[in-house]
Amino acid sequence: MSALVELSGLEKTYATRTGDVHALSAVDLDISKGEFVAIVGPSGCGKTTLLKILAGLEDHTAGTASIGGHPIRTGNGDVGMVFQKATLLPWQDIAANVLLPLSLRRRPTSQDREKAAALLRMTDLEGFARKRPHELSGGMQQRAAICRALVHKPSLLLMDEPFGALDAMTRDSLNVEVNRIWRETGTTAVLITHSISEAVFLAERIFVMSARPGRIVDEITVPFDRERSLDLLGDPEFAALTSRIRTHFEVTHA
Amino acid sequence: MVGALAVLAVVLILWQILPGALNVPRYVIPPLSEVLVALTDPVAFPRYVQNAAATMTEVGLGLLIGVVLGLALAITLTQLPRVYGIVFPYIVAIESIPKVAIAPLFVIWFGFGLPSKVVVVVLLAFFPVLVNTIHGLRNVDRDLINLFRVNGASRMQIQVRLMIPAAMPQIFSGLELAVANAMIGAIVAEFVGAQQGLGVLILQAQGRMETPAVFALLIILSALGIFLNLFVRLARKWIITWERT
Ligand SMILES: Nc1ncnc2c1ncn2[C@@H]1O[C@H](COP(=O)(O)OP(=O)(O)O)[C@@H](O)[C@H]1O
Ligand SMILES: [Mg+2]
């Protein structure tokens, strides 16, 4: 297995007016090509910071970070991002929103449009290409945001608590969808979540982070098949894994 | 709409009846009919139109310059956080000065003609556009900016394809204020010293105690103000098609 993402000895300190904030400490982490990795940790532990470093949006203070063997650079077009809010442009229709990563680089070709249409089909949004974001439900908007993150075939899909703002039922169905998208596209995915069961449901490997400064305190390999269904939620092994992860937070919060 | 028109009709009827019924002197509040006679006076009307055109030229030119300057400075300042930090307190301070009070000074500097009026209008239109646009630009979702950056967007692309459209609602709020301010600025500047314009006509009519003419001029002024405001609100609806809740 070739490592797509390699982080070693990664440190991040934010200099603020009220002093330094040590956000990440000695983070070592490899992600293989095609792998689905989840990162869980308490709020404020540096998960978003880690993702921003992967996206090239934030510099790290020490250590090394590379994707595909190259140091991370902003805007090289090789990552797709999904945020907690759908962050679609309200003045453009869904098709134009999905095409954004491409249209920022060049005039979209008919092939590009076909790619966007295929993604919308895959996420059951076919009929909504000409609609504006406000005409879609929250879950549909987030699906469109996932299409946008994949349209330029990035080697890395980064998701920062993508379903945190949605209700539990929408969340479950989107999780099934993300699992299918991941299998069908073969993309490498990094999911940040503070839902432990979401992490276990989706990921092949889970990194548990400690409270700030964020360190990786546990790494769990999830033994389930690549294809996952909601039945998994009732599996005893699923319960065992979630409670193993949960113990970390009980300890840190004691 | 029907309700609003009904209210207007009642007000107009009362305006016609009450002054006579209550023995209000004509030079204080003339009945509506006399105002309408003054408004449609065949000798006066062409003068009204001419002077309204003069006032609207001041308003139009001043708005154009003020809005362009306000937008340009807002876009520049929000891209230079350092400069912004230094300049912003002054903007807030100047914003709270009643700027029409400077009009007499501008008449001294720029004379009784068009330039002094335009400068006053520019000053009054500029600040609401500046302040509201800054507000809009600074409140664009950080994640959207990050999304653009991740996808390799240039600074220009971020401005044109994200920041400016995202700030449109606030830009239009600024424009609405600018339009109202511009009318005030033009009239006050004309009061202070001018050769033409509706403000001049109002002062002249007041000097001759021709109260019906004063009211007629106020009606013209209000109509122009309402028209301008309507124009901006229609433009807003036309441009910001995504604002509906
Ligand atoms: N731009 C920044 N400047 C200063 N401090 C920051 C910045 N971004 C995040 N932080 C701080 O770094 C810590 C980690 O933040 P974050 O990565 O957002 O955590 P998480 O996503 O796990 O909730 C927090 O204490 C936060 O306040
Ligand atoms: Mg976060």
Side-chain angles (χ1 to χ4, degrees):
Chain A
M1 275 214 275
S2 59
L4 177 70
V5 177
E6 289 175 287
L7 305 179
S8 87
L10 198 73
E11 298 279 338
K12 174 68 185 181
T13 303
Y14 289 107
T16 72
R17 251 176 301 170
T18 50
D20 286 355
V21 176
H22 195 181
L24 292 174
S25 172
V27 171
D28 294 308
L29 189 159
D30 284 0
I31 301 169
S32 306
K33 220 168 152 112
E35 198 177 13
F36 198 125
V37 161
I39 297 169
V40 294
S43 173
C45 74
K47 304 182 295 296
T48 296
T49 300
L50 183 58
L51 211 69
K52 280 187 175 160
I53 290 172
L54 288 175
L57 289 168
E58 215 43 272
D59 290 328
H60 51 281
T61 328
T64 59
S66 68
I67 296 180
H70 303 287
I72 294 168
R73 218 159 38 81
T74 324
N76 64 0
D78 211 21
V79 288
M81 274 199 104
V82 182
F83 305 94
Q84 181 163 4
K85 285 171 288 156
T87 60
L88 299 170
L89 301 177
W91 53 88
Q92 294 197 319
D93 64 22
I94 296 299
N97 266 291
V98 170
L99 279 169
L100 183 80
L102 291 168
S103 67
L104 282 171
R105 258 153 275 193
R106 56 183 151 90
R107 180 174 276 285
T109 62
S110 56
Q111 259 175 329
D112 295 339
R113 284 173 209 292
E114 185 36 52
K115 172 77 185 160
L119 283 165
L120 288 173
R121 224 174 295 131
M122 181 163 76
T123 51
D124 280 329
L125 289 173
E126 273 191 281
F128 296 88
R130 293 271 152 263
K131 297 260 189 254
R132 293 284 181 84
H134 70 265
E135 298 173 272
L136 274 63
S137 71
M140 290 159 88
Q141 289 185 22
Q142 203 53 297
R143 263 149 49 204
I146 295 170
C147 293
R148 177 181 62 188
L150 292 169
V151 74
H152 51 302
K153 302 191 183 112
S155 51
L156 192 58
L157 173 64
L158 303 173
M159 295 175 278
D160 193 355
E161 303 189 21
F163 311 130
L166 302 173
D167 60 90
M169 302 238 286
T170 310
R171 212 174 161 136
D172 281 348
S173 71
L174 276 176
N175 282 338
V176 174
E177 195 131 11
V178 166
N179 174 255
R180 187 163 58 86
I181 290 168
W182 167 63
R183 284 184 285 110
E184 286 180 15
T185 58
T187 185
T188 309
V190 180
L191 170 76
I192 282 177
T193 175
H194 48 220
S195 160
I196 294 170
S197 64
E198 186 169 271
V200 177
F201 182 80
L202 283 170
E204 294 177 295
R205 217 144 46 97
I206 300 169
F207 294 96
V208 180
M209 280 175 74
S210 67
R212 212 180 75 214
R215 280 170 302 109
I216 290 174
V217 291
D218 199 2
E219 179 189 330
I220 292 125
T221 303
V222 181
F224 307 128
D225 294 340
R226 283 169 64 86
E227 181 168 356
R228 315 232 170 134
S229 75
L230 289 175
D231 299 339
L232 201 58
L233 301 176
D235 193 305
E237 207 170 348
F238 186 92
L241 281 174
T242 53
S243 58
R244 167 172 166 194
I245 297 169
R246 193 157 286 122
T247 52
H248 285 287
F249 303 124
E250 277 152 13
V251 171
T252 45
H253 286 296
Chain B
M1 191 66 189
V2 176
L5 287 177
V7 170
L8 180 66
V10 170
V11 169
L12 292 180
I13 290 167
L14 288 178
W15 187 358
Q16 177 61 29
I17 297 169
L18 283 185
L22 299 176
N23 271 325
V24 179
R26 305 223 122 115
Y27 67 86
V28 178
I29 300 178
L32 176 62
S33 54
E34 281 188 32
V35 173
L36 291 180
V37 168
L39 181 64
T40 53
D41 182 281
V43 181
F45 192 74
R47 281 202 308 132
Y48 292 165
V49 172
Q50 234 173 42
N51 286 276
T55 300
M56 292 318 276
T57 305
E58 298 156 11
V59 168
L61 272 177
L63 267 179
L64 188 70
I65 300 170
V67 168
V68 169
L69 285 179
L71 287 174
L73 190 63
I75 291 168
T76 312
L77 278 181
T78 46
Q79 292 201 77
L80 306 168
R82 278 281 213 357
V83 182
Y84 175 84
I86 298 167
V87 172
F88 193 70
Y90 293 99
I91 293 174
V92 173
I94 296 173
E95 222 224 334
S96 55
I97 302 175
K99 284 169 287 294
V100 285
I102 315 173
L105 193 57
F106 286 149
V107 173
I108 295 176
W109 288 351
F110 302 109
F112 288 90
L114 182 66
S116 63
K117 317 299 170 300
V118 172
V119 173
V120 175
V121 175
V122 167
L123 190 69
L124 265 87
F126 169 77
F127 278 94
V129 173
L130 175 69
V131 171
N132 280 278
T133 305
I134 285 179
H135 181 70
L137 292 172
R138 284 177 62 86
N139 280 295
V140 177
D141 194 319
R142 290 300 314 174
D143 282 342
L144 265 173
I145 300 172
N146 284 336
L147 178 81
F148 271 64
R149 286 178 55 205
V150 164
N151 285 298
S154 65
R155 286 174 80 105
M156 189 66 165
Q157 282 179 316
I158 292 179
Q159 285 302 316
V160 173
R161 293 188 55 181
L162 174 61
M163 306 299 277
I164 293 170
M168 264 314 159
Q170 288 87 347
I171 291 175
F172 267 98
S173 302
L175 278 179
E176 274 181 50
L177 289 170
V179 162
N181 273 1
M183 295 288 287
I184 297 171
I187 295 299
V188 170
E190 287 171 0
F191 282 172
V192 172
Q195 287 129 350
Q196 51 175 352
L198 291 175
V200 174
L201 292 193
I202 291 175
L203 283 188
Q204 287 173 354
Q206 180 228 15
R208 291 193 298 265
M209 293 294 261
E210 283 173 16
T211 315
V214 174
F215 273 100
L217 288 161
L218 290 178
I219 289 176
I220 295 175
L221 209 52
S222 311
L224 292 171
I226 291 170
F227 170 78
L228 268 183
N229 178 271
L230 215 63
F231 176 77
V232 174
R233 292 198 347 206
L234 281 179
R236 178 190 198 128
K237 270 212 163 136
W238 185 66
I239 292 175
I240 312 178
T241 49
W242 61 92
E243 210 176 24
R244 256 146 255 146
T245 42

Coordinates of all heavy atoms in Angstrom, one line a residue, chain A residues 14-16 21 23 41-50 52 58 160-161 192 212, ligand 1:
Chain A
Y14 N -0.9 28.5 16.9 CA -1.5 29.8 16.4 C -0.9 30.9 17.3 O -1.0 30.8 18.5 CB -3.0 29.8 16.5 CG -3.7 28.9 15.5 CD1 -4.4 27.7 15.9 CD2 -3.9 29.3 14.2 CE1 -5.1 26.9 15.0 CE2 -4.6 28.5 13.3 CZ -5.2 27.3 13.7 OH -5.9 26.5 12.8
A15 N -0.4 31.9 16.7 CA 0.0 33.1 17.4 C -1.2 34.0 17.5 O -1.7 34.5 16.5 CB 1.2 33.8 16.8
T16 N -1.7 34.3 18.7 CA -2.9 35.2 18.8 C -2.5 36.3 19.7 O -1.5 36.3 20.4 CB -4.1 34.5 19.3 OG1 -3.9 34.2 20.7 CG2 -4.4 33.2 18.6
V21 N -1.6 29.6 20.9 CA -2.5 28.5 21.0 C -1.9 27.2 20.4 O -1.7 27.2 19.2 CB -3.9 28.7 20.4 CG1 -4.8 27.5 20.5 CG2 -4.6 29.9 21.0
A23 N -2.2 24.0 19.0 CA -3.4 23.3 18.5 C -3.1 21.8 18.2 O -3.9 21.0 18.4 CB -4.0 24.0 17.2
G41 N -12.5 13.4 18.0 CA -11.9 14.1 19.1 C -12.8 15.2 19.6 O -13.7 15.6 19.0
P42 N -12.5 15.6 20.9 CA -13.4 16.6 21.5 C -13.3 17.9 20.7 O -12.3 18.2 20.0 CB -12.9 16.7 22.9 CG -11.5 16.2 22.9 CD -11.4 15.2 21.8
S43 N -14.3 18.7 20.9 CA -14.4 20.0 20.3 C -13.2 20.9 20.7 O -12.8 20.9 21.8 CB -15.7 20.6 20.7 OG -15.8 21.9 20.2
G44 N -12.6 21.5 19.7 CA -11.5 22.4 20.0 C -10.1 21.7 20.1 O -9.1 22.3 20.4
C45 N -10.1 20.4 19.7 CA -8.8 19.7 19.8 C -7.9 19.8 18.6 O -6.8 19.3 18.6 CB -9.1 18.2 20.1 SG -9.7 17.3 18.7
G46 N -8.4 20.5 17.6 CA -7.5 20.8 16.5 C -7.8 20.0 15.2 O -7.0 19.9 14.3
K47 N -9.0 19.4 15.2 CA -9.4 18.6 14.0 C -9.5 19.4 12.7 O -9.0 19.1 11.7 CB -10.8 17.9 14.2 CG -10.8 17.0 15.5 CD -12.2 16.3 15.7 CE -13.4 17.3 15.9 NZ -13.3 18.0 17.2
T48 N -10.2 20.6 12.9 CA -10.3 21.4 11.7 C -8.9 22.0 11.3 O -8.6 22.1 10.1 CB -11.3 22.6 12.0 OG1 -12.6 22.1 12.3 CG2 -11.3 23.6 10.9
T49 N -8.1 22.3 12.3 CA -6.7 22.7 12.0 C -6.0 21.7 11.1 O -5.4 22.0 10.1 CB -6.0 23.0 13.3 OG1 -6.7 24.0 14.0 CG2 -4.6 23.4 13.0
L50 N -6.1 20.4 11.5 CA -5.5 19.3 10.8 C -6.0 19.3 9.4 O -5.2 19.1 8.4 CB -5.7 18.0 11.6 CG -5.1 16.7 11.0 CD1 -3.6 16.9 10.9 CD2 -5.5 15.5 11.8
K52 N -7.3 21.7 7.7 CA -6.9 22.9 6.9 C -5.4 22.7 6.5 O -5.1 23.2 5.4 CB -7.0 24.1 7.8 CG -8.5 24.6 7.8 CD -8.5 26.0 8.5 CE -9.9 26.5 8.5 NZ -10.1 27.6 9.5
E58 N -3.7 26.3 5.8 CA -3.0 26.7 7.0 C -1.6 26.1 6.9 O -1.5 25.0 6.5 CB -3.8 26.1 8.2 CG -4.0 26.8 9.5 CD -4.3 28.3 9.5 OE1 -3.3 29.0 9.5 OE2 -5.5 28.6 9.6
D160 N -15.3 18.0 6.9 CA -15.2 18.6 8.2 C -16.6 18.6 8.9 O -17.4 19.5 8.6 CB -14.6 20.0 8.2 CG -14.2 20.4 9.6 OD1 -14.5 19.7 10.6 OD2 -13.6 21.5 9.8
E161 N -16.9 17.6 9.7 CA -18.2 17.4 10.3 C -19.3 17.7 9.3 O -20.2 18.6 9.5 CB -18.3 18.4 11.5 CG -17.2 18.1 12.5 CD -17.4 18.8 13.8 OE1 -18.6 19.2 14.1 OE2 -16.4 19.0 14.5
I192 N -13.9 14.2 9.3 CA -13.8 14.6 10.7 C -15.2 14.6 11.3 O -16.1 15.1 10.6 CB -13.2 16.0 10.8 CG1 -11.7 15.8 10.6 CG2 -13.5 16.7 12.1 CD1 -10.9 17.1 10.5
R212 N -6.9 19.6 23.4 CA -5.8 20.4 23.0 C -4.6 20.4 23.9 O -4.8 20.4 25.1 CB -6.3 21.9 22.9 CG -5.7 22.6 21.8 CD -6.2 24.0 21.7 NE -5.7 24.8 22.8 CZ -6.4 25.8 23.4 NH1 -7.7 26.0 23.1 NH2 -5.9 26.4 24.4
Ligands
LIG1 N1 -7.1 31.0 13.0 C1 -6.9 30.7 14.3 N2 -6.3 31.5 15.2 C2 -6.1 31.3 16.4 N3 -6.5 30.1 17.1 C3 -7.2 29.3 16.3 C4 -7.5 29.5 14.9 N4 -8.1 28.4 14.4 C5 -8.3 27.6 15.5 N5 -7.8 28.1 16.6 C6 -7.8 27.4 17.9 O1 -7.1 26.2 17.8 C7 -7.8 25.2 18.5 C8 -8.2 24.1 17.6 O2 -9.3 24.6 16.8 P1 -10.0 23.6 15.7 O3 -8.9 23.0 14.8 O4 -11.0 24.5 15.0 O5 -10.6 22.5 16.6 P2 -11.8 21.5 16.3 O6 -12.1 21.5 14.8 O7 -11.3 20.2 16.7 O8 -13.0 21.9 17.1 C9 -8.9 25.9 19.2 O9 -8.6 26.2 20.5 C10 -9.2 27.1 18.4 O10 -9.6 28.2 19.3

